[in-house]
Amino acid sequence: MDISVVIPIYNEEGNIPLMYERMTKVLSQISSDYEIIFVNDYSKDSSLSMIKNLAKKDEHVKYLSFSRNFGHQVAVSAGLDFSKGDAVAIIDGDLQDPPELITDMYEKYKEGYKVVYAKRSSRKGVNVFKKMAYKLFYRILDILTDIKIPLDTGDFRLIDRVIIKHLQEMPERNKFIRGQIAWIGYKQTFVEYDRDARFMGETGYSFSKLMKLAIDGITGFSSKPLKIASNMGIIVSAFSFCIIVYALISQYVMHTPPIRGWASLIISVSFIGGVQLIAIGIIGEYISRINNDVRQRPLYIIEESSKKEEEDKLIKEN
Ligand code: UDP
Ligand code: MG
């Protein structure tokens, strides 16, 4: 198999037909030996039946379907595990990422790059607030982590099979795939593109899913937040020590007792309380991820797939 494409799908019924059409056109120009893998992440609409119909009609189309919503990163991981191509592209199912760019990516891949990621030079269909939040996140991530995760890139990229082999050696349950790929290294390059607005439907990334991805990215690739928490502790302790010295001097040396009243008391108690809770929260985020890994549960559960269907058919025939 020359090339596989992994497409995570969560309620994309309005996008699947055009996606299939454009993708087929692009891939058939590259090679006749390709596969399109749709990973259905428990869509609530008719996405699954559409994908199954495509798989019936076209042998290039394969599918996986999860037993519940496992999230975008897990859907991509499952697709990569399932893929057979020497080169594998990851692309969103909402046509925000143009399939035609894969042609350029494949050219770079042929030049010997193991990873060709797509860098967004602009984004359409995203409000100013969200755009700023994205920009800010990538910059914070850059400051906090020691590895260089490319700025303003998502998971839209083409990778060599060797990268997938290394990804499979990384067993963490809370995935941040673009970070993992940066961590792996090898010769990497990028192509630039303007990110379109979603063709149909609504985003499947709720605010809480986005926050989880952001924290997975930070905790997965940096211990600096823990350092920041302990530094916060040192600063607050030093500050309160100064206040103690001030209080003692004014009481016993100057004989003018420090300001009375509950305001100063309440402010300092709640300030220290806040700092403590933030520090505990940061530790908690790391511990919950350790916990996820210690449980050793499977990363995803596949309820249906084109592979299972083929196997069932074979059993019936024999
Ligand atoms: N997606 C998924 N599971 C989810 C949410 C999203 O597989 O729980 C898929 C979705 O179908 C799309 C890709 O992940 O192909 C990116 O999601 P989306 O376009 O909703 O996110 P946005 O582009 O708004 O950040
Ligand atoms: Mg999208």
Side-chain angles (χ1 to χ4, degrees), residues 12 92 94 96 195 198 203:
E12 305 284 11
D92 281 0
D94 57 358
Q96 276 193 291
R195 192 156 211 244
R198 163 180 270 284
T203 175

Side-chain angles (χ1 to χ4, degrees), residues 65-104:
S65 187
F66 284 166
S67 62
R68 66 169 175 84
N69 182 258
F70 279 90
H72 169 238
Q73 296 288 298
V74 176
V76 171
S77 302
L80 294 180
D81 291 343
F82 192 82
S83 70
K84 295 202 175 68
D86 296 332
V88 181
I90 304 166
I91 188 170
D92 281 0
D94 57 358
L95 294 165
Q96 276 193 291
D97 307 323
E100 292 73 23
L101 202 69
I102 293 179
T103 314
D104 300 346

Side-chain angles (χ1 to χ4, degrees), residues 20 47 58 89 91 100 104 107 158 172 186 189 250 283 291:
Y20 167 72
S47 295
D58 182 349
I91 188 170
E100 292 73 23
D104 300 346
E107 259 167 42
L158 185 84
E172 60 253 49
Y186 284 94
T189 187
S250 25
I283 299 169
N291 199 21

Side-chain angles (χ1 to χ4, degrees), residues 26-86:
V26 170
L27 294 180
S28 52
Q29 275 165 5
I30 293 176
S31 159
S32 59
D33 199 11
Y34 68 88
E35 60 178 358
I36 303 174
I37 303 167
F38 288 101
V39 185
N40 175 42
D41 191 10
Y42 207 64
S43 298
K44 297 187 186 82
D45 62 3
S46 62
S47 295
L48 179 60
S49 60
M50 290 175 97
I51 296 164
K52 280 176 153 178
N53 278 335
L54 288 176
K56 238 178 239 159
K57 276 196 318 205
D58 182 349
E59 58 174 15
H60 293 292
V61 176
K62 314 266 168 69
Y63 69 90
L64 300 173
S65 187
F66 284 166
S67 62
R68 66 169 175 84
N69 182 258
F70 279 90
H72 169 238
Q73 296 288 298
V74 176
V76 171
S77 302
L80 294 180
D81 291 343
F82 192 82
S83 70
K84 295 202 175 68
D86 296 332

Side-chain angles (χ1 to χ4, degrees), residues 3 15 38 68 75 80 114 133-134 137 174 183 202 207 215 220 249 254 257 264 275 304 309 315:
I3 183 165
N15 301 315
F38 288 101
R68 66 169 175 84
L80 294 180
K114 299 289 182 215
Y134 281 128
F137 167 68
N174 292 79
W183 185 90
E202 283 165 28
F207 181 71
I215 300 176
I249 291 176
M254 318 289 283
S264 53
V275 169
E304 293 176 66
E309 206 169 281
I315 292 169

Side-chain angles (χ1 to χ4, degrees), residues 1 11 25 41 59 63 86 114 125 160 169 174 176 180 204 210 227 233 249 270-271 284 301:
M1 182 85 51
N11 301 340
K25 210 169 175 185
D41 191 10
E59 58 174 15
Y63 69 90
D86 296 332
K114 299 289 182 215
D160 189 280
E169 287 163 356
N174 292 79
F176 188 64
Q180 292 183 306
L210 269 179
K227 266 255 159 349
I249 291 176
S270 57
F271 179 69
I301 292 178

Side-chain angles (χ1 to χ4, degrees), residues 12-24 38 50 54 93 95 199:
E12 305 284 11
E13 60 181 3
N15 301 315
I16 291 171
L18 186 60
M19 173 50 117
Y20 167 72
E21 198 182 299
R22 282 170 65 179
M23 191 56 87
T24 301
F38 288 101
M50 290 175 97
L54 288 176
L95 294 165
F199 180 62

